[in-house]
Amino acid sequence: MIDSSLKFKGQTVIVTGSSSGIGQACAIYFGGLGANVVVNYHSNKEEANETLKQIKNGGGDGIIVKADVSKEEDVLSMFEQTIKKFGRLDVMVSNAGLQVDSPFLEMTTKQWQKVIDVNLTGQFICIREAAKQFVKQAPDEYKGKAINTSRAIGKIVMMSSVHDVIPWAGHVNYAASKGGVSMMMKSVSQELAPYKIRVNSISPGAIQTAINKAVWSKQESLKELMNLIPYRRIGTAEDVAKAVAWLASDESDYVNGETLYIDGGMTLYPEFADNG
Ligand code: NAD
C-alpha cells in the first residue's frame, strides 16, 4: 500500500533553475511528497541553500548542484552527481529559463541566441540525458527491484509558457523558444512513449516570480495585466508546482504529449469576453 501523501518516496527528481520562482516551489513541493530532490542553480547559491533548507524542513532530502543548463558538460556533471548520491532518476523537471527582451528591429543575434541556448537547447540537453538514464536503469524496474513505485520508467515535465501559442511582440526570442519547447515535447513524447517514458509540458500564464517583477510590482501594470486574466488574479509558483507534481505522478499515467495551461484563462482570448 502506497502512502499517497508521500507518493514520490524513493524517487529522485531534478528541478532545473530551482533556486527561485516556479522551480523553487516545485523542488519544495516534491520534497514534501517524499522525493529526493536535486536543486539545480545557475548563479545564486544562497537561494539554492534556501530551497534545500525548506525541503529539509518539510522532511525531504536533496542536494544542490550548480550547472548552466545550456552547457553540456555542466549538465553531464549534474547527472553524475545525481546518480552518485541517489543512484537513480525518476523525474526531470526542465524548468530553467530566462527572457532577454528587445524590439525585433533592434534584437541582436546575441540576444536571440542566449534565449534559445537556455530555454530550448538547455531543455533538449537535460531531457535527453534524463531519458538515457531512464532507459539505462529500466531493467531493475522491470525486475521489480526498484523501490520506486511508478508505472512509467521515467517522467519528464518541460516548462513552456502561454507564449507557445500566444504571439508576443518585443519577446520574439522567448516566444520562439517556447514554441520550440512545445513541438520538442510532442515529438519526444511520441518517440519515447514505447519505452514507457512520459513527456508532457506545463504552460504557465502570469505567475508572480522574479522573471516578471516589472509587471506585478507596479499597481498600474498589475491592473492592466488583470485584463488579460479572466480569473482576475496573478498565479503563484505553487499553482504551477501542484500541476507539475500531478503530471509526474501515476495519477496522470495515461497522459502523454500534453501541454497543461496553468493560466487563469489567459489563453481564452479574454478580449472577446464582451462580444469582441
Ligand atoms: P525565475 O527567474 O524565478 O526562474 C528562472 C530560473 O532559471 C532561475 O532560478 C534562474 O537562475 C534559472 N536559470 C536561468 N538561466 C539558467 C541557466 N543557464 N542554467 C540553469 N538555470 C538557469 O522565473 P520563473 O518564472 O520561476 O521561471 C521558471 C520557468 O517558468 C522559465 O522557464 C519561464 O520561462 C517559465 N515561465 C514563467 C512564467 C511566469 O509568469 N513567471 C510564465 C510562463 C513561463
Side-chain angles (χ1 to χ4, degrees), residues 16-24 40-44 47 67-71 94-99 114 118-119 123 159-163 174 178 202-212 237:
T16 63
S18 49
S19 56
S20 64
I22 293 170
Q24 183 174 56
N40 157 249
Y41 76 101
H42 177 241
S43 42
N44 197 325
E47 285 182 343
D68 177 340
V69 295
S70 67
K71 296 205 172 111
S94 57
N95 162 78
L98 46 72
Q99 288 179 217
K114 176 77 184 164
V118 175
N119 293 12
Q123 293 217 31
M159 201 54 68
S160 189
S161 159
V162 288
H163 296 295
Y174 185 82
K178 297 300 189 181
I202 298 272
S203 287
I207 310 297
Q208 188 165 353
T209 70
I211 211 170
N212 51 12

Short mmCIF file of all heavy atoms in Angstrom, two decimals, residues 16-24 40-44 47 67-71 94-99 114 118-119 123 159-163 174 178 202-212 237, ligand 1:
data_model
loop_
_atom_site.label_atom_id
_atom_site.label_comp_id
_atom_site.label_asym_id
_atom_site.label_seq_id
_atom_site.Cartn_x
_atom_site.Cartn_y
_atom_site.Cartn_z
N THR A 16 15.52 21.88 -12.67
CA THR A 16 16.50 22.90 -13.08
C THR A 16 15.97 24.29 -12.73
O THR A 16 14.76 24.52 -12.73
CB THR A 16 16.84 22.81 -14.58
OG1 THR A 16 15.66 23.08 -15.34
CG2 THR A 16 17.41 21.45 -14.93
N GLY A 17 16.90 25.17 -12.42
CA GLY A 17 16.52 26.54 -12.06
C GLY A 17 15.65 26.57 -10.82
O GLY A 17 14.66 27.30 -10.75
N SER A 18 16.05 25.79 -9.80
CA SER A 18 15.17 25.71 -8.62
C SER A 18 15.67 26.54 -7.44
O SER A 18 15.31 26.29 -6.30
CB SER A 18 14.94 24.25 -8.21
OG SER A 18 16.12 23.52 -8.12
N SER A 19 16.50 27.54 -7.74
CA SER A 19 16.89 28.47 -6.67
C SER A 19 15.87 29.59 -6.53
O SER A 19 15.93 30.38 -5.60
CB SER A 19 18.28 29.04 -6.96
OG SER A 19 18.30 29.65 -8.24
N SER A 20 14.91 29.66 -7.46
CA SER A 20 13.91 30.74 -7.36
C SER A 20 12.62 30.35 -8.06
O SER A 20 12.55 29.35 -8.78
CB SER A 20 14.46 32.03 -8.01
OG SER A 20 14.66 31.83 -9.40
N GLY A 21 11.59 31.15 -7.82
CA GLY A 21 10.34 31.10 -8.57
C GLY A 21 9.67 29.75 -8.66
O GLY A 21 9.53 29.01 -7.67
N ILE A 22 9.24 29.41 -9.86
CA ILE A 22 8.48 28.18 -10.10
C ILE A 22 9.32 26.94 -9.77
O ILE A 22 8.84 26.00 -9.14
CB ILE A 22 8.01 28.14 -11.58
CG1 ILE A 22 6.98 29.24 -11.83
CG2 ILE A 22 7.44 26.77 -11.94
CD1 ILE A 22 6.61 29.46 -13.30
N GLY A 23 10.59 26.97 -10.17
CA GLY A 23 11.47 25.82 -9.90
C GLY A 23 11.63 25.59 -8.41
O GLY A 23 11.59 24.45 -7.94
N GLN A 24 11.79 26.66 -7.66
CA GLN A 24 11.94 26.54 -6.21
C GLN A 24 10.68 25.93 -5.59
O GLN A 24 10.75 25.01 -4.76
CB GLN A 24 12.21 27.92 -5.59
CG GLN A 24 12.45 27.86 -4.10
CD GLN A 24 12.85 29.20 -3.52
OE1 GLN A 24 12.13 30.19 -3.67
NE2 GLN A 24 14.00 29.26 -2.89
N ASN A 40 18.95 22.41 -8.70
CA ASN A 40 19.94 22.98 -9.62
C ASN A 40 19.84 24.51 -9.61
O ASN A 40 18.76 25.07 -9.59
CB ASN A 40 19.69 22.47 -11.06
CG ASN A 40 20.27 23.41 -12.12
OD1 ASN A 40 19.53 24.08 -12.85
ND2 ASN A 40 21.59 23.51 -12.17
N TYR A 41 21.01 25.14 -9.56
CA TYR A 41 21.02 26.60 -9.67
C TYR A 41 22.10 27.02 -10.66
O TYR A 41 23.04 26.26 -10.95
CB TYR A 41 21.23 27.26 -8.31
CG TYR A 41 22.67 27.21 -7.82
CD1 TYR A 41 23.50 28.33 -7.92
CD2 TYR A 41 23.20 26.04 -7.28
CE1 TYR A 41 24.82 28.28 -7.50
CE2 TYR A 41 24.53 26.00 -6.85
CZ TYR A 41 25.33 27.11 -6.97
OH TYR A 41 26.63 27.06 -6.56
N HIS A 42 21.96 28.25 -11.14
CA HIS A 42 22.92 28.77 -12.10
C HIS A 42 23.90 29.72 -11.44
O HIS A 42 25.11 29.60 -11.59
CB HIS A 42 22.18 29.49 -13.23
CG HIS A 42 23.08 30.13 -14.23
ND1 HIS A 42 23.09 31.48 -14.47
CD2 HIS A 42 24.01 29.59 -15.03
CE1 HIS A 42 24.00 31.75 -15.39
NE2 HIS A 42 24.57 30.62 -15.75
N SER A 43 23.38 30.67 -10.64
CA SER A 43 24.30 31.67 -10.08
C SER A 43 24.07 32.02 -8.61
O SER A 43 24.98 32.51 -7.98
CB SER A 43 24.25 32.95 -10.93
OG SER A 43 22.92 33.24 -11.26
N ASN A 44 22.87 31.77 -8.10
CA ASN A 44 22.61 32.23 -6.73
C ASN A 44 22.59 31.08 -5.73
O ASN A 44 21.57 30.45 -5.46
CB ASN A 44 21.27 33.00 -6.69
CG ASN A 44 21.14 33.84 -5.43
OD1 ASN A 44 21.60 33.44 -4.37
ND2 ASN A 44 20.51 34.99 -5.55
N GLU A 47 20.19 31.34 -2.63
CA GLU A 47 18.78 30.98 -2.88
C GLU A 47 18.63 29.46 -2.98
O GLU A 47 17.62 28.90 -2.54
CB GLU A 47 18.28 31.66 -4.16
CG GLU A 47 18.02 33.15 -3.97
CD GLU A 47 17.46 33.81 -5.23
OE1 GLU A 47 17.57 33.23 -6.34
OE2 GLU A 47 16.94 34.91 -5.10
N ALA A 67 24.86 24.24 -12.16
CA ALA A 67 25.02 23.88 -13.58
C ALA A 67 24.32 24.91 -14.45
O ALA A 67 23.22 25.34 -14.15
CB ALA A 67 24.43 22.50 -13.84
N ASP A 68 25.00 25.27 -15.52
CA ASP A 68 24.38 26.09 -16.56
C ASP A 68 23.76 25.10 -17.55
O ASP A 68 24.48 24.33 -18.20
CB ASP A 68 25.47 26.94 -17.22
CG ASP A 68 24.93 27.78 -18.37
OD1 ASP A 68 23.85 27.46 -18.91
OD2 ASP A 68 25.61 28.77 -18.74
N VAL A 69 22.43 25.10 -17.65
CA VAL A 69 21.77 24.07 -18.47
C VAL A 69 22.11 24.19 -19.96
O VAL A 69 21.89 23.24 -20.71
CB VAL A 69 20.23 24.08 -18.29
CG1 VAL A 69 19.83 23.70 -16.89
CG2 VAL A 69 19.61 25.42 -18.71
N SER A 70 22.63 25.33 -20.37
CA SER A 70 22.98 25.46 -21.79
C SER A 70 24.37 24.90 -22.09
O SER A 70 24.81 24.89 -23.23
CB SER A 70 22.89 26.93 -22.22
OG SER A 70 23.88 27.70 -21.57
N LYS A 71 25.07 24.45 -21.05
CA LYS A 71 26.42 23.87 -21.24
C LYS A 71 26.37 22.38 -21.01
O LYS A 71 26.13 21.91 -19.89
CB LYS A 71 27.42 24.52 -20.28
CG LYS A 71 27.60 25.99 -20.53
CD LYS A 71 28.96 26.46 -20.03
CE LYS A 71 29.22 27.89 -20.44
NZ LYS A 71 29.22 28.83 -19.31
N SER A 94 12.39 20.15 -16.43
CA SER A 94 13.30 21.09 -17.11
C SER A 94 12.61 22.46 -17.12
O SER A 94 11.79 22.76 -17.97
CB SER A 94 13.67 20.61 -18.50
OG SER A 94 12.54 20.41 -19.30
N ASN A 95 12.96 23.22 -16.11
CA ASN A 95 12.25 24.47 -15.80
C ASN A 95 13.07 25.72 -16.10
O ASN A 95 12.50 26.76 -16.41
CB ASN A 95 11.86 24.44 -14.30
CG ASN A 95 11.54 25.81 -13.77
OD1 ASN A 95 10.45 26.33 -14.01
ND2 ASN A 95 12.49 26.42 -13.06
N ALA A 96 14.40 25.64 -16.02
CA ALA A 96 15.24 26.85 -16.11
C ALA A 96 14.92 27.62 -17.39
O ALA A 96 14.76 27.03 -18.47
CB ALA A 96 16.71 26.47 -16.09
N GLY A 97 14.81 28.93 -17.25
CA GLY A 97 14.53 29.74 -18.43
C GLY A 97 14.75 31.20 -18.12
O GLY A 97 14.85 31.60 -16.96
N LEU A 98 14.84 31.99 -19.16
CA LEU A 98 15.02 33.44 -18.98
C LEU A 98 14.43 34.22 -20.14
O LEU A 98 14.04 33.64 -21.16
CB LEU A 98 16.51 33.76 -18.80
CG LEU A 98 17.53 33.14 -19.74
CD1 LEU A 98 17.48 33.73 -21.14
CD2 LEU A 98 18.94 33.34 -19.20
N GLN A 99 14.38 35.52 -19.95
CA GLN A 99 13.95 36.43 -21.01
C GLN A 99 15.07 37.42 -21.29
O GLN A 99 15.73 37.87 -20.35
CB GLN A 99 12.72 37.24 -20.56
CG GLN A 99 11.45 36.45 -20.49
CD GLN A 99 10.27 37.32 -20.01
OE1 GLN A 99 9.43 36.83 -19.29
NE2 GLN A 99 10.20 38.57 -20.42
N LYS A 114 21.09 33.73 -26.82
CA LYS A 114 21.11 33.47 -25.38
C LYS A 114 19.82 32.76 -24.93
O LYS A 114 19.85 31.76 -24.18
CB LYS A 114 21.27 34.80 -24.62
CG LYS A 114 21.22 34.68 -23.12
CD LYS A 114 22.51 34.15 -22.57
CE LYS A 114 22.45 33.93 -21.07
NZ LYS A 114 23.54 33.09 -20.60
N VAL A 118 19.45 28.74 -23.62
CA VAL A 118 18.98 28.33 -22.29
C VAL A 118 17.60 27.66 -22.39
O VAL A 118 17.39 26.55 -21.90
CB VAL A 118 18.93 29.53 -21.31
CG1 VAL A 118 18.34 29.11 -19.97
CG2 VAL A 118 20.33 30.11 -21.12
N ASN A 119 16.65 28.34 -23.03
CA ASN A 119 15.25 27.88 -22.99
C ASN A 119 14.98 26.67 -23.87
O ASN A 119 14.09 25.89 -23.58
CB ASN A 119 14.31 29.00 -23.43
CG ASN A 119 14.28 30.17 -22.46
OD1 ASN A 119 15.11 30.27 -21.57
ND2 ASN A 119 13.34 31.08 -22.64
N GLN A 123 16.88 22.76 -22.43
CA GLN A 123 15.86 21.72 -22.15
C GLN A 123 16.16 20.47 -22.96
O GLN A 123 15.99 19.34 -22.49
CB GLN A 123 14.46 22.25 -22.48
CG GLN A 123 14.03 23.37 -21.55
CD GLN A 123 12.54 23.31 -21.19
OE1 GLN A 123 11.95 22.24 -21.11
NE2 GLN A 123 11.95 24.47 -20.95
N MET A 159 9.01 22.99 -18.93
CA MET A 159 8.35 24.27 -18.63
C MET A 159 8.28 25.09 -19.91
O MET A 159 9.28 25.57 -20.42
CB MET A 159 9.11 25.02 -17.53
CG MET A 159 8.27 26.06 -16.81
SD MET A 159 6.72 25.42 -16.11
CE MET A 159 7.35 24.35 -14.82
N SER A 160 7.07 25.23 -20.40
CA SER A 160 6.87 26.07 -21.58
C SER A 160 6.28 27.40 -21.12
O SER A 160 6.69 27.94 -20.08
CB SER A 160 5.98 25.31 -22.58
OG SER A 160 5.94 25.99 -23.80
N SER A 161 5.29 27.90 -21.82
CA SER A 161 4.67 29.19 -21.47
C SER A 161 3.43 29.35 -22.34
O SER A 161 3.34 28.74 -23.42
CB SER A 161 5.65 30.33 -21.77
OG SER A 161 4.96 31.56 -21.90
N VAL A 162 2.49 30.20 -21.88
CA VAL A 162 1.35 30.51 -22.76
C VAL A 162 1.85 31.06 -24.10
O VAL A 162 1.15 31.02 -25.10
CB VAL A 162 0.37 31.53 -22.13
CG1 VAL A 162 -0.43 30.90 -21.01
CG2 VAL A 162 1.09 32.79 -21.67
N HIS A 163 3.09 31.55 -24.10
CA HIS A 163 3.64 32.10 -25.35
C HIS A 163 4.14 31.01 -26.30
O HIS A 163 4.82 31.30 -27.27
CB HIS A 163 4.71 33.15 -25.04
CG HIS A 163 4.11 34.32 -24.34
ND1 HIS A 163 3.19 35.15 -24.93
CD2 HIS A 163 4.22 34.76 -23.05
CE1 HIS A 163 2.78 36.06 -24.06
NE2 HIS A 163 3.38 35.84 -22.92
N TYR A 174 11.94 34.76 -26.95
CA TYR A 174 11.28 33.96 -25.90
C TYR A 174 10.13 33.13 -26.48
O TYR A 174 10.03 31.93 -26.24
CB TYR A 174 10.77 34.91 -24.80
CG TYR A 174 10.18 34.21 -23.60
CD1 TYR A 174 10.99 33.71 -22.58
CD2 TYR A 174 8.80 34.05 -23.47
CE1 TYR A 174 10.43 33.08 -21.47
CE2 TYR A 174 8.24 33.43 -22.37
CZ TYR A 174 9.07 32.95 -21.36
OH TYR A 174 8.52 32.33 -20.26
N LYS A 178 9.75 28.98 -26.65
CA LYS A 178 8.67 28.21 -26.02
C LYS A 178 7.84 27.47 -27.07
O LYS A 178 7.38 26.35 -26.83
CB LYS A 178 7.79 29.12 -25.16
CG LYS A 178 8.54 29.76 -23.98
CD LYS A 178 9.13 28.73 -23.02
CE LYS A 178 9.67 29.36 -21.75
NZ LYS A 178 10.26 28.39 -20.83
N ILE A 202 4.12 22.04 -19.16
CA ILE A 202 3.25 22.99 -18.47
C ILE A 202 3.45 24.34 -19.13
O ILE A 202 4.59 24.75 -19.38
CB ILE A 202 3.68 23.13 -16.99
CG1 ILE A 202 3.55 21.81 -16.23
CG2 ILE A 202 2.92 24.27 -16.31
CD1 ILE A 202 2.23 21.54 -15.62
N SER A 203 2.36 25.02 -19.40
CA SER A 203 2.46 26.38 -19.94
C SER A 203 1.82 27.36 -18.96
O SER A 203 0.60 27.54 -18.96
CB SER A 203 1.76 26.45 -21.30
OG SER A 203 2.55 25.80 -22.26
N PRO A 204 2.65 27.98 -18.13
CA PRO A 204 2.10 28.95 -17.18
C PRO A 204 1.71 30.24 -17.89
O PRO A 204 2.30 30.62 -18.90
CB PRO A 204 3.26 29.20 -16.20
CG PRO A 204 4.29 28.16 -16.49
CD PRO A 204 4.10 27.78 -17.93
N GLY A 205 0.71 30.93 -17.30
CA GLY A 205 0.38 32.28 -17.73
C GLY A 205 1.24 33.24 -16.92
O GLY A 205 2.46 33.09 -16.88
N ALA A 206 0.61 34.21 -16.27
CA ALA A 206 1.39 35.16 -15.46
C ALA A 206 1.51 34.63 -14.04
O ALA A 206 0.52 34.57 -13.31
CB ALA A 206 0.71 36.52 -15.46
N ILE A 207 2.71 34.27 -13.67
CA ILE A 207 2.99 33.73 -12.34
C ILE A 207 3.92 34.72 -11.65
O ILE A 207 4.92 35.16 -12.25
CB ILE A 207 3.68 32.34 -12.45
CG1 ILE A 207 2.90 31.39 -13.39
CG2 ILE A 207 3.86 31.74 -11.05
CD1 ILE A 207 1.49 31.04 -12.98
N GLN A 208 3.63 35.03 -10.40
CA GLN A 208 4.38 36.06 -9.69
C GLN A 208 5.77 35.56 -9.29
O GLN A 208 5.92 34.89 -8.26
CB GLN A 208 3.60 36.51 -8.45
CG GLN A 208 4.20 37.71 -7.77
CD GLN A 208 3.24 38.35 -6.78
OE1 GLN A 208 2.08 37.99 -6.69
NE2 GLN A 208 3.75 39.31 -6.03
N THR A 209 6.76 35.86 -10.12
CA THR A 209 8.15 35.47 -9.82
C THR A 209 9.08 36.61 -10.27
O THR A 209 8.62 37.62 -10.81
CB THR A 209 8.57 34.19 -10.59
OG1 THR A 209 8.68 34.52 -11.98
CG2 THR A 209 7.59 33.05 -10.39
N ALA A 210 10.38 36.37 -10.11
CA ALA A 210 11.36 37.40 -10.47
C ALA A 210 11.32 37.75 -11.96
O ALA A 210 11.61 38.89 -12.35
CB ALA A 210 12.76 36.91 -10.09
N ILE A 211 10.93 36.78 -12.79
CA ILE A 211 11.03 36.97 -14.24
C ILE A 211 10.13 38.11 -14.73
O ILE A 211 10.42 38.75 -15.73
CB ILE A 211 10.72 35.63 -14.98
CG1 ILE A 211 11.49 35.51 -16.30
CG2 ILE A 211 9.25 35.44 -15.25
CD1 ILE A 211 11.43 34.12 -16.95
N ASN A 212 9.02 38.36 -14.00
CA ASN A 212 8.06 39.38 -14.44
C ASN A 212 7.78 40.42 -13.34
O ASN A 212 6.70 41.00 -13.29
CB ASN A 212 6.76 38.74 -14.94
CG ASN A 212 6.21 37.76 -13.92
OD1 ASN A 212 6.66 37.71 -12.79
ND2 ASN A 212 5.22 36.97 -14.32
N ALA A 237 3.65 30.47 -7.75
CA ALA A 237 4.55 29.37 -8.14
C ALA A 237 3.98 28.03 -7.66
O ALA A 237 4.15 27.01 -8.32
CB ALA A 237 5.94 29.62 -7.56
P1 NAD B 1 12.79 32.86 -12.27
O1 NAD B 1 13.62 33.90 -12.93
O2 NAD B 1 12.49 32.99 -10.84
O3 NAD B 1 13.39 31.41 -12.51
C1 NAD B 1 14.19 31.05 -13.60
C2 NAD B 1 15.29 30.19 -13.08
O4 NAD B 1 16.09 29.70 -14.16
C3 NAD B 1 16.23 30.98 -12.14
O5 NAD B 1 16.43 30.24 -10.97
C4 NAD B 1 17.49 31.10 -12.95
O6 NAD B 1 18.67 31.14 -12.17
C5 NAD B 1 17.44 29.83 -13.76
N1 NAD B 1 18.33 29.89 -14.94
C6 NAD B 1 18.43 30.88 -15.86
N2 NAD B 1 19.39 30.57 -16.73
C7 NAD B 1 19.90 29.37 -16.36
C8 NAD B 1 20.91 28.52 -16.87
N3 NAD B 1 21.62 28.86 -17.95
N4 NAD B 1 21.16 27.35 -16.23
C9 NAD B 1 20.46 26.99 -15.13
N5 NAD B 1 19.50 27.76 -14.60
C10 NAD B 1 19.22 28.93 -15.21
O7 NAD B 1 11.44 32.83 -13.12
P2 NAD B 1 10.28 31.74 -13.17
O8 NAD B 1 9.06 32.49 -13.51
O9 NAD B 1 10.28 30.88 -11.98
O10 NAD B 1 10.69 30.90 -14.46
C11 NAD B 1 10.75 29.49 -14.48
C12 NAD B 1 10.29 28.97 -15.82
O11 NAD B 1 8.90 29.27 -15.99
C13 NAD B 1 11.00 29.57 -17.02
O12 NAD B 1 11.24 28.56 -17.99
C14 NAD B 1 9.99 30.57 -17.56
O13 NAD B 1 10.14 30.80 -18.93
C15 NAD B 1 8.69 29.84 -17.25
N6 NAD B 1 7.52 30.69 -17.23
C16 NAD B 1 7.34 31.63 -16.25
C17 NAD B 1 6.19 32.40 -16.28
C18 NAD B 1 5.91 33.45 -15.24
O14 NAD B 1 4.93 34.20 -15.40
N7 NAD B 1 6.67 33.57 -14.18
C19 NAD B 1 5.24 32.25 -17.29
C20 NAD B 1 5.47 31.29 -18.26
C21 NAD B 1 6.61 30.52 -18.22
#
